[in-house]
Amino acid sequence: MSEPEQIDPKATRRNVISSVFVSVLIGLAFQEMILPVRDSVRTAGITLGTTIYFSIFFLTSMRFFIGNQLHLISDNLLHMKGTVWFYDLFWIIVQTTALIFLGGVSSVEANRASKVGFVDLLVVLYACDVLWIVSQWVLGKLGSPLFRVSDLKDPSGLAVKLRDNRDPVSQYLRGQFSLEAQRQIEQHDGSSTQSGSLKSALVVELNQLLKDPGLFDERRFAQIRLSEKTRKLIEQKPQREGLISLNRLLLEEAYPHEIFTGWKRSVIPWKWAALNTGQIIGILIAMGATGDTSSDAFLWLLLTLSVLAFFIDVLLSDYYDVI
């Protein structure tokens, strides 16, 4: 039942909004950076401290900008609800705001005059990213795997597939539905103005199927591109709550254009959380070793950490494969 990728108008609008909004904010961050760096060069010339602050800001802003931008237009987020996309956009705006303030203290003089310095803001930026990633995992744990009407991206399209019985999964699902639900599906004319009773019936029947230990069959799902996470769950042969989670994933992946994925994400970017946690720990160690965040030794260590983070991020992140 592999289908050509369909273009979702809502997803297209999301991509345009996020691209424009985040680009404008990152542009403001660079504008904030230019002013103190320019003034520093005019008054003190090209100094080591300002050069390092500028380099760290550039590497960090590019790392966050590219990664966040590609995340907002990724396939994983594409099939999730708009509320999930907005939640992620909120955290990205928080991070970009931190970058704006970071740009404003990207010179020795501006950093010295500010009560909240360059290093403080850098730690805040990394901490925000770690909190965002941890919150993704927490929300996934708290969210219920049961379907709600709002989880149906295209109820009409789902009803049509079940009515037409053209693939093994739809044939099985319809056979498990109640007679009343089958009657409503048979009478559905394919229009997008579905009645509330049909939507409710689909939700009730799908939730019943979440408890079905016989939903997965290798031949039935042979034409469905199942994710690695789903494959691993199948191998574990889960029971009870685990079975419900597995069946939810199976239905989401069998009908990606008809069913939204829930708050439980298929991938949590723990690599980013580990990388930025390592950055915070590295900064604290460097502060303890040098005892002075304005010393040349500390600035060199800070630059080394930023360069390593940039290249590790590029090597580890799947998002950069699309570039």
Side-chain angles (χ1 to χ4, degrees):
M1 201 175 72
S2 180
E3 301 177 5
E5 193 68 26
Q6 301 175 11
I7 298 177
D8 185 348
K10 290 184 178 179
T12 301
R13 288 196 293 271
R14 289 186 201 172
N15 293 347
V16 172
I17 292 171
S18 61
S19 296
V20 172
F21 202 70
V22 175
S23 297
V24 168
L25 288 176
I26 204 69
L28 290 174
F30 270 86
Q31 183 179 19
E32 284 294 305
M33 176 271 297
I34 289 173
L35 295 176
V37 171
R38 183 187 62 189
D39 291 342
S40 176
V41 171
R42 284 177 175 176
T43 58
I46 300 176
T47 61
L48 175 65
T50 297
T51 301
I52 290 179
Y53 284 138
F54 166 80
S55 301
I56 293 171
F57 172 82
F58 179 81
L59 291 172
T60 305
S61 59
M62 285 295 96
R63 182 163 75 90
F64 275 80
F65 172 64
I66 295 173
N68 288 338
Q69 187 75 296
L70 293 176
H71 168 72
L72 285 171
I73 63 174
S74 66
D75 289 337
N76 289 332
L77 199 59
L78 176 66
H79 296 302
M80 302 189 82
K81 294 181 181 179
T83 50
V84 182
W85 170 83
F86 186 80
Y87 178 79
D88 286 359
L89 180 62
F90 165 77
W91 277 102
I92 289 172
I93 290 173
V94 171
Q95 292 178 356
T96 313
T97 301
L99 281 170
I100 292 173
F101 283 99
L102 187 70
V105 291
S106 293
S107 72
V108 172
E109 295 80 6
N111 177 62
R112 189 182 299 123
S114 177
K115 291 183 178 180
V116 182
F118 187 92
V119 176
D120 301 321
L121 290 168
L122 198 60
V123 171
V124 168
L125 176 63
Y126 293 144
C128 284
D129 195 61
V130 174
L131 286 173
W132 172 30
I133 294 169
V134 172
S135 73
Q136 294 177 20
W137 176 79
V138 171
L139 289 171
K141 289 292 183 182
L142 294 176
S144 171
L146 297 179
F147 286 103
R148 294 179 293 180
V149 172
S150 60
D151 292 330
L152 300 180
K153 184 191 299 186
D154 183 7
S156 178
L158 179 59
V160 168
K161 285 188 175 181
L162 295 173
R163 183 197 66 193
D164 293 346
N165 268 337
R166 292 181 180 176
D167 61 87
V169 179
S170 296
Q171 291 169 11
Y172 179 80
L173 263 58
R174 181 171 173 176
Q176 301 302 307
F177 280 14
S178 66
L179 293 177
E180 175 60 23
Q182 291 187 40
R183 183 189 65 79
Q184 292 191 51
I185 290 170
E186 186 63 36
Q187 294 177 351
H188 181 58
D189 61 4
S191 66
S192 58
T193 56
Q194 318 87 1
S195 66
S197 60
L198 175 59
K199 295 179 184 179
S200 299
L202 288 171
V203 168
V204 169
E205 300 298 333
L206 289 174
N207 281 332
Q208 288 296 322
L209 280 164
L210 292 179
K211 307 170 187 176
D212 181 6
L215 175 60
F216 176 75
D217 179 81
E218 194 69 47
R219 288 179 297 180
R220 185 180 301 136
F221 281 81
Q223 294 180 303
I224 307 297
R225 289 181 293 180
L226 299 177
S227 65
E228 183 180 351
K229 177 182 179 180
T230 303
R231 288 287 183 189
K232 288 181 179 179
L233 277 176
I234 292 170
E235 293 173 1
Q236 295 171 11
K237 298 180 179 179
Q239 304 294 323
R240 299 179 182 177
E241 290 80 6
L243 175 64
I244 292 175
S245 296
L246 170 60
N247 285 347
R248 169 83 189 225
L249 287 173
L250 288 170
L251 291 172
E252 288 174 353
E253 294 179 13
Y255 301 98
H257 306 298
E258 292 76 30
I259 298 176
F260 280 117
T261 57
W263 279 88
K264 192 167 187 176
R265 315 203 184 210
S266 58
V267 177
I268 301 292
W270 291 117
K271 292 181 290 188
W272 280 5
L275 181 59
N276 288 327
T277 300
Q279 287 287 295
I280 294 173
I281 294 172
I283 290 172
L284 294 176
I285 292 174
M287 290 172 65
T290 61
D292 182 7
T293 58
S294 61
S295 67
D296 290 350
F298 175 81
L299 292 177
W300 278 116
L301 288 173
L302 194 61
L303 178 60
T304 301
L305 287 170
S306 298
V307 171
L308 287 174
F310 181 84
F311 285 105
I312 291 173
D313 194 12
V314 171
L315 291 173
L316 293 182
S317 179
D318 295 334
Y319 291 130
Y320 293 92
D321 293 342
V322 304
I323 298 179

